[in-house]
């Protein structure tokens, strides 16, 4: 595809679309809906391509073939409403990650573990920055700046993928996109792809039904958010869910047939004058006043941890969250470190008492890429730890531990087994 043509036609169609908006406004007509605008844009694209073909014939050149015209139309539409030349990668179900270190240094990770270099996604770094700025203006609940004064950006793309971008703190603009390959996902799906054993799936389903507070831990891109979605989809449709995130990602409100009563909160960044910020901790506190059945915090990365733990101990049982950690045991120290950053400045002992009263289970998920050794990319839950009390430090028991293959299998008695049994779980035995 000739990307210079796509860029040229995108400008022409955009200008005609803007002209029609102005005409509608001057005539007192209501603005077009998003879908109407997309349909109108398709008609304009066809019109522009027809004019181009006639012009090519008029000067004795061969016009685009039907296949080339179709590709141009898709590229123009993606440039207008999608993510430009990134769109084919986002449309590929096998793509997991896209890392861009400047417009022409594009590395793509696939579901089987391969990592390959891809063609450029823009003609220049300036064009790449412009693309990210357009996405930042229309993604999420509010426009997010991406410029010299605001060189960092996190947002959720329309397809649910997570984008993180930086500029001016790197030699060239850098972008990482983590694909949401499994949007509507259930525990049965994770059992089917080997992330969980059937027994572990039954344990987690029963723990959600029994309103146990669960913290999902793991490294970057291990699958924490996917597992969180699967656990959330075990919650009955009658419950009111409040989600709190830095950038909208969970998307539970996108499936009203599963969760008809969802309010999604997104952290708001300060404006150019440093005003108007609404932090994660403030949103967690606000969520408690919104009559939640459960509060789900997408990812804990800072001082909101104290507010969240307090919420878990104040009758909001059944909460879910994720956290970065290298093992299920390390989670407690990681939480204590975050708590030290909070305004409350809790001492270690107080934090451990708060953890023991708030968290019931820690679920640790791992990622392993064996592609270079002839294997494939694997994600699996390797450990489940039950919090049992506090004696200066959090007391816990690893009720599921790694097997020879790495995936978690039963290991120790579960102290709350009677509560889980009331929701259909019976332990198959300990190793």
């Amino acid at each position: 595809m000739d990307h210079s043509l796509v860029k040229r036609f995108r400008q022409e169609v955009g200008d005609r679309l803007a002209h029609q908006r102005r005409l509608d406004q001057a005539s007192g007509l209501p603005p077009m809906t998003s879908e109407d605008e997309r349909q109108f844009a398709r008609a304009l694209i066809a019109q522009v391509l027809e004019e181009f073909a006639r012009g090519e014939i008029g000067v004795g050149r061969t016009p685009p073939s039907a296949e080339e015209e179709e590709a141009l139309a898709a590229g123009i539409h993606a440039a207008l409403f999608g993510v430009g030349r990134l769109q084919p990668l986002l449309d590929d179900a096998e793509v997991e990650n896209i890392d861009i270190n400047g417009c022409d240094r594009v590395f793509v990770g696939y579901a089987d573990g391969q990592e390959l270099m891809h063609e450029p996604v823009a003609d220049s770094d300036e064009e790449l920055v412009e693309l990210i700025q357009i996405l930042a203006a229309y993604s999420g609940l509010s426009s997010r700046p991406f410029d010299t004064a605001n060189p960092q950006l996190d947002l959720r793309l329309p397809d649910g993928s997570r984008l993180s971008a930086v500029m001016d703190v790197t030699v060239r603009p850098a972008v990482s996109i983590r694909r949401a390959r499994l949007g509507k996902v259930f525990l049965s799906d994770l059992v089917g792809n080997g992330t969980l054993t059937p027994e572990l799936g039954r344990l987690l389903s029963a723990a959600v039904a029994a309103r146990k507070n669960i913290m999902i831990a793991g490294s970057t891109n291990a699958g924490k958010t996917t597992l969180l979605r699967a656990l959330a989809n075990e919650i009955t449709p009658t419950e009111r869910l409040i989600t709190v995130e830095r950038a909208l990602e969970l998307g539970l409100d996108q499936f009203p047939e599963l969760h008809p009563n969802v309010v999604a909160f997104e952290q708001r960044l300060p404006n150019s004058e440093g005003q108007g910020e609404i932090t994660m901790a403030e949103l967690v506190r606000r969520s408690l006043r919104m009559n939640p059945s459960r509060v789900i915090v997408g990812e804990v990365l800072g001082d909101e941890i104290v507010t969240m733990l307090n919420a878990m101990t104040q009758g909001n049982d059944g909460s879910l969250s994720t956290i970065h950690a290298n093992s299920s045991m390390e989670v407690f120290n990681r939480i204590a470190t975050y708590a030290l950053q909070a305004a409350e400045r809790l001492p270690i002992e107080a934090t451990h008492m708060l953890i023991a009263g708030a968290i019931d289970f820690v679920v640790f998920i791992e990622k392993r890429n064996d592609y270079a050794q002839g294997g494939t990319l694997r994600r699996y839950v390797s450990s489940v730890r039950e919090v049992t009390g506090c004696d200066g430090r959090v007391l816990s028991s690893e009720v599921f531990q790694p097997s020879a293959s790495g995936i978690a299998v039963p290991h120790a008695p579960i102290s709350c087994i009677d509560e889980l049994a009331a929701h259909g779980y019976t332990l198959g035995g300990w190793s």
Side-chain angles (χ1 to χ4, degrees):
M1 190 194 307
D2 188 338
H3 293 293
S4 63
L5 278 179
V6 171
K7 190 173 181 180
R8 170 184 150 191
F9 294 150
R10 175 197 176 279
Q11 185 65 48
E12 287 186 30
V13 173
D15 288 345
R16 296 185 191 191
L17 193 57
H19 178 65
Q20 186 62 46
R21 289 195 199 106
R22 288 193 296 271
L23 287 178
D24 289 347
Q25 186 177 16
S27 303
L29 297 174
M32 287 184 282
T33 66
S34 176
E35 184 56 34
D36 286 344
E37 194 165 275
R38 286 171 181 263
Q39 292 297 334
F40 183 59
R42 288 189 178 96
L44 291 176
I45 290 168
Q47 181 183 335
V48 166
L49 289 176
E50 184 181 346
E51 292 170 2
F52 175 71
R54 284 203 305 266
E56 292 294 278
I57 293 171
V59 296
R61 288 194 292 262
T62 303
S65 66
E67 292 78 11
E68 289 170 336
E69 192 167 296
E70 186 177 339
L72 281 170
I76 298 164
H77 196 270
L80 277 168
F81 298 104
V83 288
R85 287 151 70 175
L86 282 169
Q87 195 65 51
L89 290 174
L90 295 182
D91 291 339
D92 187 341
E94 294 305 308
V95 170
E96 283 219 332
N97 300 293
I98 306 165
D99 294 313
I100 305 167
N101 309 330
C103 66
D104 57 350
R105 304 288 294 172
V106 182
F107 301 88
V108 180
Y110 291 86
D112 62 0
Q114 286 189 86
E115 294 186 5
L116 302 175
M117 195 164 179
H118 193 268
E119 65 182 24
V121 294
D123 291 332
S124 66
D125 286 352
E126 291 74 20
E127 186 178 310
L128 175 62
V129 169
E130 182 184 343
L131 170 63
I132 303 306
Q133 288 171 336
I134 292 170
L135 292 173
Y138 295 103
S139 299
L141 298 180
S142 58
S143 175
R144 294 185 168 221
F146 184 58
D147 49 34
T148 301
N150 301 275
Q152 303 178 80
L153 176 70
D154 292 291
L155 56 83
R156 180 179 183 267
L157 297 178
D159 72 338
S161 299
R162 179 163 42 177
L163 179 147
S164 178
V166 293
M167 64 180 290
D168 288 354
V169 292
T170 52
V171 176
R172 304 179 67 184
V175 183
S176 291
I177 299 174
R178 290 165 56 187
R179 292 287 316 287
R181 295 178 60 243
L182 297 173
K184 193 176 185 178
V185 61
F186 301 91
L187 287 177
S188 57
D189 298 318
L190 301 186
V191 171
N193 67 19
T195 303
L196 314 170
T197 62
E199 178 157 358
L200 181 50
R202 291 194 297 273
L203 166 71
L204 295 178
S205 178
V208 172
R211 303 188 69 85
K212 296 300 180 183
N213 294 323
I214 301 173
M215 182 71 77
I216 301 167
S219 62
T220 300
N221 201 28
K224 300 185 296 296
T225 300
T226 298
L227 179 55
L228 179 58
R229 286 195 189 103
L231 291 180
N233 286 339
E234 294 293 311
I235 300 171
T236 61
T238 57
E239 295 196 44
R240 175 173 168 81
L241 308 182
I242 308 290
T243 65
V244 181
E245 302 176 85
R246 279 179 168 74
L248 293 181
E249 180 187 3
L250 285 172
L252 300 184
D253 54 328
Q254 303 298 310
F255 304 107
E257 69 278 13
L258 298 175
H259 305 293
N261 192 355
V262 179
V263 177
F265 284 177
E266 182 184 54
Q267 176 187 4
R268 192 169 78 183
L269 301 176
N271 60 21
S272 56
E273 287 79 36
Q275 304 298 313
E277 180 181 17
I278 301 178
T279 67
M280 289 281 287
E282 289 174 296
L283 289 177
V284 173
R285 278 192 289 271
R286 172 58 57 184
S287 72
L288 300 180
R289 301 178 184 178
M290 300 291 290
N291 191 33
S293 297
R294 305 187 194 224
V295 176
I296 298 175
V297 179
E299 186 173 38
V300 174
L301 286 173
D303 61 359
E304 69 272 10
I305 188 65
V306 174
T307 309
M308 190 189 78
L309 292 176
N310 278 322
M312 288 179 171
T313 59
Q314 292 173 6
N316 290 94
D317 294 333
S319 294
L320 306 169
S321 187
T322 69
I323 193 169
H324 285 274
N326 293 321
S327 70
S328 58
M329 191 66 182
E330 191 207 354
V331 168
F332 310 126
N333 288 333
R334 178 59 60 91
I335 291 175
T337 301
Y338 287 152
L340 283 173
Q341 302 168 16
E344 293 85 351
R345 294 290 188 273
L346 292 183
I348 295 293
E349 295 79 8
T351 300
H352 279 260
M353 287 180 63
L354 190 56
I355 295 169
I359 297 175
D360 298 301
F361 288 101
V362 173
V363 179
F364 186 75
I365 186 167
E366 291 192 44
K367 178 182 75 168
R368 181 172 176 178
N369 190 351
D370 294 327
Y371 184 83
Q373 288 76 43
T376 187
L377 180 65
R378 296 175 57 219
R379 290 183 173 88
Y380 52 90
V381 172
S382 62
S383 172
V384 178
R385 191 170 290 275
E386 182 185 20
V387 176
T388 56
C390 184
D391 184 13
R393 310 284 289 184
V394 173
L395 304 177
S396 65
S397 171
E398 193 173 30
V399 294
F400 275 64
Q401 71 170 14
S403 63
S405 66
I407 196 166
V409 294
H411 171 64
I414 300 173
S415 63
C416 65
I417 187 66
D418 291 342
E419 294 176 71
L420 301 182
H423 295 276
Y425 177 72
T426 53
L427 190 64
W430 306 309
S431 58

